[in-house]
Amino acid sequence: MAKIVSSLTDTKIKHLKSKDKKYKISDGKRLYIVVEKSGRKWWMYEYMYNGKRTQKSLGDYPEISLKKAETYQKYCVWDIIANKYHSSTPNSGTD
């Protein structure tokens, strides 16, 4: 059965507390806020690239707000799409 994921809000993020182990909370669109044992919070975008799960750090919270992290995630998606397109395009001009 599909897991229901609620969207993140600044209020929810501010109230996240550290635990015995590092944990992450998803926005449901592969953007995560990671909470370290030390209490540090940072953004992570998780995606598939060449069949492998890949993670990209987007910066620390609150320096990087939720809105900014969502914007960075969109740029990452476009960058990944552009790189896939360019890497699959045959090299032209070399006959």
Side-chain angles (χ1 to χ4, degrees):
M1 189 155 142
K3 187 176 180 181
I4 298 173
V5 180
S6 62
S7 61
L8 290 172
T9 64
D10 274 320
T11 304
K12 286 181 186 177
I13 296 165
K14 286 178 188 174
H15 289 93
L16 293 174
K17 303 291 183 201
S18 61
K19 297 182 180 180
D20 291 339
K21 291 171 49 174
K22 174 173 74 172
Y23 68 98
K24 62 184 180 180
I25 305 291
S26 173
D27 74 337
K29 301 174 202 153
R30 297 184 182 171
L31 178 67
Y32 297 87
I33 187 76
V34 180
V35 183
E36 299 279 350
K37 190 176 175 179
S38 64
R40 175 181 170 236
K41 298 173 188 170
W42 54 279
W43 295 104
M44 178 182 68
Y45 173 52
E46 205 171 70
Y47 58 96
M48 295 295 285
Y49 189 74
N50 290 333
K52 295 180 183 175
R53 182 176 292 176
T54 307
Q55 300 171 341
K56 179 165 182 63
S57 172
L58 302 178
D60 287 345
Y61 177 87
E63 290 82 13
I64 304 297
S65 67
L66 172 60
K67 185 172 179 118
K68 201 177 271 190
E70 290 171 336
T71 300
Y72 287 176
Q73 178 192 21
K74 289 175 187 171
Y75 284 121
C76 288
V77 169
W78 284 107
D79 189 44
I80 292 162
I81 290 169
N83 285 335
K84 273 189 173 180
Y85 174 76
H86 290 299
S87 66
S88 65
T89 304
N91 190 3
S92 61
T94 54
D95 289 295

